Amino acid sequence: MLKLRFLPLLTLLFCQNSQAELRATGDLGVVIERAKGSALIINTSKRSILAKIDSLGDLSHASVVFSRDQRYAFIFGRDGGLSKIDLLQDKVEKRIIQAGNSIGGAISQDGQLIAVSNYTPGGVKIFSTKTLQLVADIPAEYGENKLSKVVGLVDAPNHQFVFTLFDAGEIWVVNIKNPKTIDIKKYKNIGNQPYDALLTPDGRYYIAGLFGEQGLALLDLWNPEKGIKRILPDYGKDDEKLPVYKMPHLEGWAVAGDFMLIPAIGQHEVLVIDKRQWTLVKRIPVIGQPVFVMARPDGRHIWVNFAFPDNQNIQIIDAKTMAIVKSLTPGKAVLHMEFTPRGEEVWVSVRDENQLIVYDTESFKEKKRLPAEKPSGIFFSSRAHQLGL
Amino acid sequence: MLKLRFLPLLTLLFCQNSQAELRATGDLGVVIERAKGSALIINTSKRSILAKIDSLGDLSHASVVFSRDQRYAFIFGRDGGLSKIDLLQDKVEKRIIQAGNSIGGAISQDGQLIAVSNYTPGGVKIFSTKTLQLVADIPAEYGENKLSKVVGLVDAPNHQFVFTLFDAGEIWVVNIKNPKTIDIKKYKNIGNQPYDALLTPDGRYYIAGLFGEQGLALLDLWNPEKGIKRILPDYGKDDEKLPVYKMPHLEGWAVAGDFMLIPAIGQHEVLVIDKRQWTLVKRIPVIGQPVFVMARPDGRHIWVNFAFPDNQNIQIIDAKTMAIVKSLTPGKAVLHMEFTPRGEEVWVSVRDENQLIVYDTESFKEKKRLPAEKPSGIFFSSRAHQLGL
């Protein structure tokens, strides 16, 4: 009886921690600290850092996807590491080294499978999101038993993964509805050295950029039988122009209404493309070589960051006038930007200032600064609900 | 010392419940049970019912919005009740009766404020999402101190709420960035008896349907100075046609690429509108009077349900051909449909069968049935991240 009298108190004391842990996952995010191989778990409502996760390996070119319940973040490291982070318990749930050198990944539409695109050995490996057990291994074979680097891996509707073979110049569409009998459609001769690709937000158009020649390779997933179409023949690296300090990220292309805004390679321009005919309708002069060209979720504003030596800047384009409405200088080495789900704020990583800066997207005023060690990519949990990210 | 030996065991025992409660919020949803005034909390990954919440008042015309962290669901009841449900603890956090008769609500872009549109007294009340304390009261005054019923309340970018005055024939745009000095823009003479409205997913176009005359009232929030534009002059109730069994929900209109699919009123047709010129481009014959016309998140398929006496049916339109590709008969009184965030499945409420049915949207096969008492509206937590819902 004596013991029982104390139970409520003891329970309170010892349960407090797990009570304090009661946490929703709709407003969480992960920030990559590239130099330290660590990641921060952040909260976009409180604009705060909740936890730091260490020992994640080489994150010099890392990306993140989220489980469909938003509890887990999957971090793809440059060293082939695949780490599953529990956002409710601030810990590494599981970590594997699945290849020698990997470049990114995607999560299937139903959240059951996670795919990683690898440089060495060249190919795609598919894992169970629950256990990280290998479900399928797809070597990117071409020519005489050669393996190609794989880039531009995305998830698409109807249980598909789509990716591009850099060395082979091919696009493969994989249907993984039944992982035991994987169906692969291969599109060959898409162009020279496709270096990256994107999927439009509606999941319909897959577009690969070409490093070895000009133009872009377009696959319409609504009409796959029509094969690859070459668009924007004048787009791409032109050796007579400026040296290219950094190839832009295609994932950072912006779709705003009927238009797509994309970074011109090696030039101080953002290009406006009419999505209906895939024609160039305008060139917007900007302060440097654009890297990410990202639309606010409502499509009204497009935020642009730049390659060295102009990477202390951000410029904002108004989709109504297709002109710059604001220029900001957050600080040295602005690497990435991520909008809150409904777009009222944007988080910016400023690597060489060791800062995260949160801006109000209507007034462009700074709302908060947070410390981070050499921050690079910022990824919010709302990505769990979007196609092709 | 003796007591201390037992602490771990006791802690385990008494903390177990809160441990078991560790739950992410990205794949949750709320289903309204209209007859019983109750709601189910469901999980779309496990396709399961997690909890039932009772005593929520009159839910005969209920709708739901979610906090930006997805922890809380706010249920708007017909009786003026506003209930805040904790999705992590399966309980009513707080419940108030804020008016005599209310029709729906919205949550602000930043998640700080919740707005309710009321019939009696006619107007909009704005509350803190945290406390449900009244922040602002906006009576819908017109003419000689008359109050109008308010319909079509939505959240819009840049801290705005937009709504329509049924009796006054006006659209009001409210900026609540500073709740103490609320700025209201009023657009008068928009048309006779606007009965409902919608915001396009990009947050740009607000469109009100008219019960008293034909055509629709369009407000372009990118160009508010241009005022109201009347579009689709032939659209609306035509007394020579079939009797109207149920006015369609405008929130259920589908935007797919450049096109908008909308239910024809009192006719067995879905209308296809070119969003660029707001012109009618096609009439698709369907089995009954359409109620909800909803696009799968990727826009490839559009699912349609119907008014009595055809409400046992669902038909699915392919956006590529704008023709029906599949017809389903889930059972008596199909009231609502909600797609999973990336669209691989859809949940359907079948009121008179007391069933929820989950379909695979690629194969159209039934995947799961769950019991529910007279289910009506289905709302998933991913709505927290979308504009105008």
Side-chain angles (χ1 to χ4, degrees):
Chain A
M1 290 311 295
L2 180 84
K3 274 220 299 291
L4 281 176
R5 280 229 322 280
F6 288 92
L7 288 189
L9 175 63
L10 300 176
T11 309
L12 188 68
L13 272 165
F14 286 83
C15 296
Q16 207 167 21
N17 185 48
S18 55
Q19 289 299 336
E21 285 302 322
L22 205 54
R23 178 189 294 175
T25 52
D27 56 355
L28 302 183
V30 170
V31 177
I32 300 298
E33 295 183 316
R34 56 183 296 160
K36 285 284 168 73
S38 51
L40 303 174
I41 300 176
I42 60 96
N43 178 301
T44 64
S45 298
K46 303 185 180 97
R47 299 182 201 99
S48 64
I49 293 167
L50 302 178
K52 181 175 187 136
I53 311 292
D54 291 310
S55 311
L56 298 173
D58 178 357
L59 300 185
S60 59
H61 191 290
S63 63
V64 179
V65 298
F66 295 87
S67 61
R68 82 187 294 286
D69 65 355
Q70 296 176 337
R71 175 167 178 173
Y72 299 102
F74 299 88
I75 303 181
F76 307 99
R78 191 59 191 258
D79 55 4
L82 172 57
S83 305
K84 181 179 182 180
I85 309 298
D86 185 342
L87 300 177
L88 289 183
Q89 300 194 93
D90 302 334
K91 67 176 191 186
V92 177
E93 172 88 3
K94 188 165 187 187
R95 171 170 165 78
I96 61 172
I97 300 295
Q98 56 82 38
N101 184 339
S102 86
I103 190 66
I107 186 164
S108 61
Q109 183 182 24
D110 64 3
Q112 297 299 307
L113 300 171
I114 195 132
V116 191
S117 57
N118 293 320
Y119 277 6
T120 51
V124 169
K125 286 185 178 173
I126 299 176
F127 301 88
S128 155
T129 48
K130 196 167 273 138
T131 62
L132 295 194
Q133 295 297 313
L134 185 69
V135 171
D137 188 354
I138 305 172
E141 285 171 342
Y142 73 106
E144 301 290 317
N145 328 317
K146 284 181 287 184
L147 291 182
S148 170
K149 294 192 188 74
V150 171
V151 298
L153 170 65
V154 301
D155 64 284
N158 300 339
H159 307 89
Q160 300 181 107
F161 285 120
V162 186
F163 53 88
T164 297
L165 280 58
F166 174 83
D167 307 291
E170 298 181 6
I171 291 173
W172 291 12
V173 178
V174 170
N175 187 312
I176 39 85
K177 182 133 198 181
N178 177 358
K180 274 155 201 57
T181 60
I182 293 177
D183 168 60
I184 305 180
K185 248 196 224 74
K186 302 179 181 181
Y187 299 87
K188 307 200 172 191
N189 309 313
I190 68 158
N192 194 3
Q193 294 179 299
Y195 68 95
D196 196 4
L198 73 88
L199 187 73
T200 52
D202 60 5
R204 176 170 182 176
Y205 297 106
Y206 182 79
I207 303 172
L210 303 173
F211 189 79
E213 62 187 288
Q214 298 204 309
L216 299 161
L218 171 79
L219 177 62
D220 177 357
L221 294 173
W222 285 19
N223 300 289
E225 71 287 351
K226 291 190 175 163
I228 305 298
K229 180 182 173 190
R230 183 66 62 94
I231 59 171
L232 302 175
D234 303 330
Y235 177 74
K237 196 160 114 301
D238 180 340
D239 297 321
E240 294 163 20
K241 300 246 174 46
L242 300 172
V244 179
Y245 291 105
K246 183 181 192 336
M247 289 300 282
H249 275 273
L250 274 67
E251 298 88 347
W253 290 13
V255 173
D258 295 328
F259 300 101
M260 178 176 254
L261 284 81
I262 68 177
I265 298 177
Q267 299 166 57
H268 293 189
E269 288 178 344
V270 168
L271 308 178
V272 183
I273 309 300
D274 183 328
K275 234 169 86 266
R276 286 163 279 161
Q277 291 91 26
W278 300 107
T279 51
L280 176 66
V281 293
K282 188 171 184 184
R283 299 170 170 273
I284 303 170
V286 288
I287 201 171
Q289 293 184 7
V291 176
F292 283 101
V293 175
M294 308 186 86
R296 201 172 68 180
D298 65 346
R300 175 61 191 270
H301 283 163
I302 294 89
W303 288 53
V304 185
N305 74 332
F306 302 95
F308 178 86
D310 303 300
N311 61 3
Q312 71 278 23
N313 302 289
I314 285 176
Q315 291 192 304
I316 295 128
I317 295 165
D318 185 339
K320 180 179 162 183
T321 59
M322 289 298 175
I324 290 170
V325 289
K326 185 74 177 178
S327 296
L328 302 169
T329 54
K332 275 199 198 142
V334 173
L335 291 196
H336 199 225
M337 306 169 282
E338 178 91 331
F339 292 94
T340 54
R342 286 199 281 168
E344 74 279 9
E345 293 178 1
V346 63
W347 287 50
V348 175
S349 58
V350 192
R351 186 194 60 202
D352 295 352
E353 315 271 351
N354 296 303
Q355 295 273 301
L356 296 167
I357 307 181
V358 183
Y359 290 96
D360 178 315
T361 58
E362 186 184 7
S363 66
F364 306 115
K365 287 203 177 71
E366 184 179 315
K367 292 186 90 164
K368 183 85 179 262
R369 268 178 193 255
L370 294 162
E373 295 183 72
K374 304 281 176 226
S376 54
I378 306 173
F379 305 87
F380 292 162
S381 60
S382 52
R383 288 174 173 246
H385 302 323
Q386 295 176 294
L387 290 162
L389 288 185
Chain B
M1 288 314 294
L2 180 85
K3 274 220 301 291
L4 280 175
R5 280 230 321 283
F6 288 93
L7 288 189
L9 176 62
L10 300 177
T11 309
L12 187 70
L13 271 167
F14 287 80
C15 297
Q16 207 166 21
N17 186 49
S18 57
Q19 289 297 337
E21 285 302 323
L22 204 56
R23 178 189 292 177
T25 52
D27 56 354
L28 303 183
V30 170
V31 177
I32 300 299
E33 295 183 314
R34 57 183 296 158
K36 285 283 168 74
S38 52
L40 304 173
I41 299 176
I42 59 96
N43 178 300
T44 64
S45 298
K46 305 187 179 96
R47 300 182 200 99
S48 64
I49 293 166
L50 302 179
K52 180 175 189 136
I53 311 293
D54 291 310
S55 311
L56 298 174
D58 177 358
L59 299 185
S60 60
H61 190 290
S63 64
V64 179
V65 297
F66 294 87
S67 62
R68 83 188 291 287
D69 65 355
Q70 298 175 336
R71 174 167 179 173
Y72 299 101
F74 299 88
I75 302 182
F76 307 98
R78 191 60 192 256
D79 56 3
L82 171 57
S83 306
K84 181 180 181 179
I85 310 297
D86 185 342
L87 301 176
L88 290 183
Q89 301 193 93
D90 301 336
K91 67 175 191 186
V92 177
E93 172 87 4
K94 188 164 187 188
R95 171 170 165 78
I96 61 171
I97 300 296
Q98 56 81 41
N101 184 338
S102 90
I103 189 66
I107 185 165
S108 62
Q109 184 182 23
D110 64 3
Q112 296 299 307
L113 300 170
I114 194 132
V116 192
S117 56
N118 293 321
Y119 276 6
T120 51
V124 168
K125 285 185 179 172
I126 299 177
F127 302 89
S128 155
T129 48
K130 195 165 274 141
T131 62
L132 294 194
Q133 295 297 312
L134 185 69
V135 171
D137 188 355
I138 306 172
E141 285 170 343
Y142 74 106
E144 302 289 319
N145 328 317
K146 284 180 286 179
L147 291 181
S148 171
K149 294 193 187 77
V150 171
V151 297
L153 171 64
V154 300
D155 64 282
N158 300 339
H159 308 88
Q160 300 181 107
F161 285 120
V162 187
F163 53 89
T164 296
L165 280 58
F166 174 83
D167 307 292
E170 298 181 7
I171 290 173
W172 290 11
V173 178
V174 170
N175 188 312
I176 39 86
K177 182 133 198 181
N178 177 357
K180 275 156 201 56
T181 60
I182 293 177
D183 168 61
I184 305 180
K185 251 197 223 74
K186 301 180 181 180
Y187 299 87
K188 308 199 171 191
N189 309 314
I190 69 157
N192 194 3
Q193 294 178 301
Y195 68 96
D196 196 4
L198 73 88
L199 188 74
T200 52
D202 60 7
R204 176 170 182 177
Y205 297 104
Y206 182 79
I207 303 172
L210 303 174
F211 190 80
E213 62 186 287
Q214 298 204 310
L216 297 160
L218 171 79
L219 176 62
D220 177 356
L221 294 173
W222 285 20
N223 301 288
E225 71 287 351
K226 291 190 176 163
I228 304 298
K229 180 182 172 190
R230 182 68 62 96
I231 58 171
L232 302 176
D234 302 330
Y235 178 73
K237 194 160 117 301
D238 180 338
D239 296 319
E240 294 163 19
K241 300 246 172 46
L242 300 172
V244 178
Y245 291 105
K246 183 181 190 340
M247 288 300 283
H249 276 273
L250 273 67
E251 300 87 348
W253 290 14
V255 173
D258 295 328
F259 299 101
M260 179 175 253
L261 284 81
I262 68 177
I265 298 178
Q267 300 167 56
H268 293 190
E269 287 178 344
V270 168
L271 307 179
V272 182
I273 310 300
D274 182 327
K275 233 169 87 266
R276 285 163 280 161
Q277 291 91 24
W278 300 107
T279 51
L280 176 65
V281 293
K282 187 172 184 184
R283 298 171 171 272
I284 303 170
V286 288
I287 201 171
Q289 293 184 9
V291 175
F292 283 102
V293 176
M294 308 186 86
R296 201 172 68 179
D298 65 346
R300 175 63 191 268
H301 283 162
I302 294 89
W303 288 53
V304 185
N305 74 331
F306 301 94
F308 178 85
D310 303 300
N311 61 2
Q312 72 277 22
N313 301 290
I314 285 177
Q315 291 191 303
I316 295 129
I317 296 166
D318 185 339
K320 181 178 163 183
T321 59
M322 291 298 175
I324 291 172
V325 289
K326 185 74 177 178
S327 295
L328 302 169
T329 54
K332 274 198 200 143
V334 173
L335 290 196
H336 199 225
M337 306 169 284
E338 178 89 332
F339 291 95
T340 54
R342 286 199 279 169
E344 74 280 9
E345 295 179 359
V346 62
W347 286 51
V348 174
S349 57
V350 191
R351 185 192 61 202
D352 296 351
E353 315 270 351
N354 296 304
Q355 295 273 301
L356 296 167
I357 306 180
V358 182
Y359 290 96
D360 178 315
T361 58
E362 186 184 6
S363 66
F364 306 114
K365 287 201 178 72
E366 185 178 315
K367 291 186 91 163
K368 183 85 179 261
R369 268 178 193 253
L370 293 163
E373 295 182 74
K374 304 281 175 226
S376 54
I378 306 173
F379 305 87
F380 292 162
S381 60
S382 52
R383 288 175 173 245
H385 301 324
Q386 295 175 293
L387 290 162
L389 288 183

